[in-house]
Amino acid sequence: MDEWTNVSVILCADRTGAQLSVIEQWKKDQRRQEGSHVSFKAKSHRFVLGNGTKVKPLDENRFLLTKTQEVITRI
């Protein structure tokens, strides 16, 4: 099961001034036992809107809404 932990909420605005919340999330480490070998999966990191839709960070202050190709900016 995928378990994401919210790290921070970033308030952003689109080109019309409408406010959107971008949530930064980390996925917990997963540990796998393969015989006598134990492997660790690195933490995953993502940004999503409040509704769970993934967004792509462009830099520290801007994110790309991948479905519409619109750039939103940190307030």
Side-chain angles (χ1 to χ4, degrees), residues 4-56:
W4 291 93
T5 301
N6 294 344
V7 177
S8 65
V9 177
I10 304 161
L11 189 58
C12 295
D14 67 11
R15 66 179 180 272
T16 68
Q19 293 185 358
L20 302 163
S21 296
V22 174
I23 302 168
E24 180 181 10
Q25 297 180 324
W26 285 95
K27 184 189 245 183
K28 295 179 181 179
D29 285 338
Q30 293 180 353
R31 193 170 141 183
R32 241 185 357 207
Q33 180 88 27
E34 296 176 6
S36 61
H37 178 72
V38 176
S39 63
F40 293 91
K41 182 178 179 183
K43 283 187 177 181
S44 297
H45 184 234
R46 73 178 183 182
F47 292 90
V48 296
L49 293 178
N51 66 5
T53 302
K54 291 182 184 178
V55 296
K56 180 180 178 183

